[in-house]
Amino acid sequence: MPSHLPIKALVIALGFATAASVYATSTAEDNTAIAGINTTEAPRVAQTIDAKILTTLPQSHLPLLTRTASTGTVADNTAMNHMQLVLKRSALRQTALEALIAEQHDPSSVKFHRWLTPAQYGQAFGVADADIAAAKTWLISQGFTVNGVYPNKMQIDFSGTAGQVKAAFHTQENHYTINQVSHIANASDISIPAALRDVVTGVAGLNDVHPKAMHIPPKVAQFDASKQKFKVKQPATAAASSIANPEAVSFTGGVRGLVPYDLAKIYGVEQLYASGLTGTGITIAVVEDASMVPGDWDNFVSQFSLGSYGGTFAQIQPQATGFTNCIDPTIANPGEDGIETLLDAEWSTAIAPGANIKVASCDDSNGTNFFGGVFTAATNLINGTSRPNVISASYGYGEGFTDAASKTAIDLMWAQADAEGISVFVSSGDSGSNPSFNGSVIGGAGVDANSFGTSPNVTVVGGTDTADVLQGTSKKYFSQILNPAYGSALSYVPEIPWNQSCGNTLAAKSMGFATALAFCKEYLKYDPYGYYITSEAGSGGPSSVDRKPAWQRQVHGAAKDQSRDVPDVSLFAGSYGSYTWVIICTASYPCTSGFSAPVYLVGGTSLSSPMFAGIQALIDQGLAAKGLPASQGNAAPTLYALAAEEYGGATGSTPPSLETCSADNGPKGTGKCVFHNITTSGITTQCIQQLPGMVTPDCYFYGTVNNYLGFFGPVQVGLTSTSATKFTPKTEAYATQPGWSFATGLGSVNASNLFTAWKKFINVP
């Protein structure tokens, strides 16, 4: 759902004394936000609902199924639980909502930070009660069970069978294999009675392609006190265990495991701790499809001496009003850990150790919900009575893997969160220019963006890597001996985009190659079976669905397109050669004093998002201490306004700070900067194509593996590029540049400087 926030409004600030009454926290009785807004309208279902007079809803099945063969039909008696009939608001109400959200982010407006409740949101901007009643009556007439209507009046939760779906929506549910995983999905676009077409967008949950976690599979490592490094334990049987590692860096002496102290030091968080800002009083919810052992969080807090900050932990299964569509994903295995879940919980705490962490987890299985547990957890929180200040969602998949109704449901959910004042952070993805290939290689698909994050009402967080290893400057930025907090970082460290492929320009140069393309061609000689071909990198790209919001147009470097582009910002996610990771404490591998026992090392943009959520919690606490609302809504409009001051606008001359704030300048050069502008290397990764069955657009092919992985036969290998005929810095998908880029967005931040600039932006002393 596009949002058009006026640029001018974003740079207006009022005097604090004048605006004091404006900043009062919104409550259930506060109607300031909707005062003067008249969205009264007549019912739009004006005709008798006739099941014989139908209309087809375009793009209501997965677009990738046009090139995917079915492996069989789904039995008619197969349960399809907790699907969502996604409703469509009128143009009047859509325009009014966009205008309100703009005012909620405008410091000069009386509606600035006047957030809505779910009930207020539904009453003013949902679908009329009469139209909802008509849709419910039709669903019931088709044999479905209507479980309930959400307070937002934009979703009807209902259950049935595959046979009822076939009869009511005129589509067959089939089995498919997608990315080597079995799924079910509707084979064609659905049809509904024409009388409902003005109020129904479609059905979310006709397929079970869910957003996936964005982390690197964890590695078991043992600390070597003599070398002050971790030694990764290799599996006893690995596919490529007998093949020499051809990556540019060989870490025979061990690898680096970062801890909370390190990231707080690198990103200027420790200065906020010194001023008393630790996230106290702020609630961060991490939305998940798996649960964790609560003792893991306690172990993490204890290991890294975070207990004195007073943070809390709770694990919940948020429910919709009046019905149950969320159960504990690990109810059958109470001792089981979800790695994604504990990564999010522990590392949001690592940055905001005083915050209240809520793990909101819902099971993915068809027995409880069909659209996916992460969506269910998030939408239930947003429509609930106890809403968080911040949400982190470290999940995703490409828009090419998302049907139109599901994408609309996601965007509607995040717009509601924004209007309620919830700051939402979403991981950009872990596979370069297409986020759907985490852990594999881009093939059969081109440039794409994370469908879960391209809403203009959320802030998308990409991934970076520290540049010190490839530049040979580690001794300058890291101590050789761990301190009592197990940390080693000495200051901010220059960053590059996280990119583990031979497309990493800095890695290529460190090996003496002029270009990544030359490096990749040489690399292939030492990897005849393609074991080290990878697309593992922070993701970025343009949306093919959502339009570019006005606030994203205002900064130097912004892509001159009409698309919502991601990421917005970035933080550490991983490293070339897998040298630098973060440590997590798990039930299987608990943290012990001195790391006497093995631990898990992990990374990915699933780390970046909860860390930025932690930074937002620190900012929220600081503003609340000034008498302002603790909730800030979507952070992106403010971030871009601040970046425009530092990098310059989309047109005109650029200020000296554009060059000064380059991450390459290190801690002294960027000491006064809000953003670290990352201008070296990019997220261009490898991609593959196997003709005739797999055709991969947006890939420049430079070679062939004769028998891919010793099994699949000939496969072409390339680098992601917007041109199939040439590979240049302008066609790479994608390189960094001064200002904003698809590789890392606005770059990373100094949290202390960000807080100072944020206060100045809204004219708070």
Side-chain angles (χ1 to χ4, degrees):
M1 181 180 63
S3 176
H4 307 287
L5 306 182
I7 298 174
K8 185 176 181 180
L10 293 175
V11 295
I12 298 174
L14 289 177
F16 179 70
T18 304
S21 62
V22 175
Y23 292 132
T25 303
S26 177
T27 67
E29 292 75 31
D30 181 5
N31 291 307
T32 305
I34 54 177
I37 297 176
N38 184 1
T39 56
T40 303
E41 60 185 12
R44 288 177 289 145
V45 180
Q47 300 174 335
T48 301
I49 299 175
D50 188 338
K52 295 180 181 179
I53 303 176
L54 303 174
T55 185
T56 300
L57 301 182
Q59 300 179 324
S60 51
H61 78 297
L62 287 172
L64 59 89
L65 296 185
T66 57
R67 56 181 186 276
T68 305
S70 166
T71 58
T73 59
V74 174
D76 283 351
N77 63 353
T78 300
M80 298 186 67
N81 294 313
H82 296 290
M83 295 173 283
Q84 305 285 313
L85 190 69
V86 184
L87 304 179
K88 182 192 304 181
R89 64 171 58 95
S90 66
L92 168 69
R93 294 190 171 191
Q94 178 64 33
T95 300
L97 175 61
E98 291 177 6
L100 173 62
I101 291 176
E103 289 189 272
Q104 289 174 317
H105 287 279
D106 177 1
S108 70
S109 172
V110 294
K111 297 183 179 181
F112 180 58
H113 285 183
R114 293 286 188 170
W115 309 118
L116 300 179
T117 66
Q120 289 172 328
Y121 183 89
Q123 186 62 36
F125 305 113
V127 169
D129 291 339
D131 292 333
I132 291 174
K136 285 175 59 179
T137 299
W138 176 74
L139 286 171
I140 293 170
S141 74
Q142 300 303 300
F144 294 111
T145 298
V146 173
N147 303 307
V149 179
Y150 276 83
N152 60 19
K153 298 187 179 182
M154 295 300 297
Q155 298 163 247
I156 301 176
D157 186 294
F158 71 104
S159 301
T161 65
Q164 290 169 335
V165 166
K166 178 167 60 177
F169 296 108
H170 308 278
T171 188
Q172 174 65 50
E173 293 289 322
N174 287 340
H175 294 283
Y176 297 91
T177 299
I178 303 171
N179 278 358
Q180 302 180 332
V181 178
S182 178
H183 290 281
I184 75 169
N186 52 308
S188 60
D189 286 342
I190 69 172
S191 296
I192 62 171
L196 293 173
R197 64 187 169 193
D198 288 340
V199 298
V200 173
T201 293
V203 179
L206 294 180
N207 65 75
D208 64 349
V209 180
H210 305 140
K212 299 299 181 184
M214 297 296 184
H215 68 257
I216 309 170
K219 301 292 185 183
V220 180
Q222 177 64 61
F223 185 64
D224 184 340
S226 65
K227 295 181 179 179
Q228 297 283 285
K229 293 287 190 293
F230 289 86
K231 187 70 174 179
V232 174
K233 294 187 174 183
Q234 298 297 335
T237 56
S241 59
S242 61
I243 299 176
N245 188 337
E247 291 189 297
V249 184
S250 180
F251 305 121
T252 56
V255 302
R256 186 163 62 198
L258 300 180
V259 300
Y261 174 93
D262 295 314
L263 278 302
K265 172 71 75 172
I266 290 170
Y267 291 123
V269 171
E270 64 175 4
Q271 292 98 308
L272 294 179
Y273 296 167
S275 65
L277 300 183
T278 63
T280 300
I282 305 302
T283 297
I284 302 173
V286 293
V287 289
E288 313 289 346
D289 61 7
S291 293
M292 61 180 280
V293 176
D296 295 342
W297 186 86
D298 296 326
N299 181 202
F300 185 85
V301 167
S302 174
Q303 178 76 2
F304 300 115
S305 303
L306 303 177
S308 62
Y309 294 110
T312 67
F313 173 87
Q315 192 160 214
I316 62 172
Q317 282 67 55
Q319 300 300 338
T321 303
F323 60 95
T324 299
N325 61 357
C326 175
I327 67 166
D328 188 340
T330 60
I331 194 168
N333 302 290
E336 184 179 342
D337 269 331
I339 295 299
E340 176 62 49
T341 304
L342 62 87
L343 169 63
D344 295 345
E346 291 178 358
W347 277 89
S348 54
T349 294
I351 301 300
N356 304 314
I357 306 301
K358 284 190 177 181
V359 169
S361 57
C362 297
D363 189 62
D364 269 336
S365 75
N366 188 14
T368 51
N369 72 79
F370 208 78
F371 188 36
V374 175
F375 174 88
T376 303
T379 197
N380 287 0
L381 280 175
I382 293 164
N383 283 280
T385 57
S386 180
R387 295 177 297 284
N389 305 98
V390 184
I391 287 177
S392 176
S394 296
Y395 291 76
Y397 49 0
E399 291 179 340
F401 285 71
T402 314
D403 62 277
S406 297
K407 175 57 177 164
T408 298
I410 293 166
D411 285 0
L412 289 172
M413 174 177 70
W414 294 144
Q416 180 182 351
D418 194 7
E420 292 177 3
I422 302 171
S423 303
V424 178
F425 297 89
V426 180
S427 300
S428 68
D430 289 6
S431 49
S433 58
N434 190 311
S436 299
F437 293 86
N438 184 17
S440 60
V441 185
I442 294 172
V447 166
D448 204 352
N450 184 359
S451 181
F452 218 56
T454 47
S455 159
N457 299 104
V458 304
T459 302
V460 178
V461 189
T464 70
D465 180 7
T466 58
D468 62 295
V469 178
L470 292 173
Q471 292 177 336
T473 57
S474 294
K475 291 184 179 180
K476 182 178 180 180
Y477 299 108
F478 289 91
S479 169
Q480 302 305 295
I481 299 176
L482 302 187
N483 64 25
Y486 304 108
S488 59
L490 301 174
S491 67
Y492 173 69
V493 187
E495 294 170 278
I496 59 173
W498 169 44
N499 186 346
Q500 295 187 201
S501 80
C502 61
N504 186 320
T505 304
L506 185 58
K509 290 182 178 179
S510 73
M511 288 292 289
F513 293 90
T515 66
L517 180 59
F519 179 39
C520 288
K521 288 180 177 179
E522 183 68 17
Y523 193 113
L524 198 58
K525 296 177 182 178
Y526 300 93
D527 189 21
Y529 295 100
Y531 284 115
Y532 295 98
I533 295 172
T534 181
S535 297
E536 207 73 16
S539 290
S543 172
S544 59
V545 178
D546 291 305
R547 293 183 60 191
K548 187 188 295 296
W551 44 258
Q552 192 170 44
R553 299 179 185 273
Q554 66 182 339
V555 68
H556 182 79
K560 292 178 172 55
D561 58 18
Q562 299 303 313
S563 301
R564 166 71 168 116
D565 298 319
V566 298
D568 298 306
V569 287
S570 294
L571 293 176
F572 176 78
S575 68
Y576 183 83
S578 298
Y579 178 70
T580 306
W581 308 71
V582 298
I583 296 171
I584 55 175
C585 304
T586 74
S588 299
Y589 294 98
C591 296
T592 57
S593 179
F595 296 120
S596 58
V599 295
Y600 256 157
L601 303 179
V602 72
T605 56
S606 279
L607 167 67
S608 312
S609 179
M611 285 202 298
F612 216 104
I615 291 174
Q616 186 65 50
L618 304 180
I619 292 172
D620 288 356
Q621 182 195 355
L623 295 179
K626 298 291 185 180
L628 313 186
S631 296
Q632 297 297 301
N634 185 19
T638 300
L639 292 171
Y640 277 85
L642 298 178
E645 295 178 4
E646 199 161 272
Y647 297 164
T651 59
S653 60
T654 57
S657 51
L658 175 65
E659 183 176 347
T660 300
C661 294
S662 170
D664 295 341
N665 293 330
K668 292 184 179 179
T670 62
K672 296 182 179 179
C673 298
V674 172
F675 299 93
H676 306 120
N677 191 196
I678 299 167
T679 56
T680 297
S681 198
I683 58 169
T684 300
T685 67
Q686 289 163 293
C687 38
I688 59 174
Q689 173 173 279
Q690 187 176 39
L691 301 175
M694 178 195 291
V695 178
T696 303
D698 302 321
C699 187
Y700 174 83
F701 296 102
Y702 61 82
T704 300
V705 172
N706 291 326
N707 190 13
Y708 183 51
L709 302 182
F711 180 81
F712 292 102
V715 168
Q716 289 181 283
V717 183
L719 285 170
T720 53
S721 171
T722 55
S723 170
T725 59
K726 60 182 178 180
F727 185 81
T728 69
K730 289 186 177 181
T731 67
E732 286 183 52
Y734 293 96
T736 57
Q737 62 181 15
W740 183 92
S741 74
F742 282 113
T744 57
L746 300 171
S748 67
V749 298
N750 178 298
S752 180
N753 293 344
L754 174 60
F755 176 56
T756 299
W758 198 298
K759 288 191 296 179
K760 182 179 178 182
F761 175 71
I762 56 177
N763 209 13
V764 174

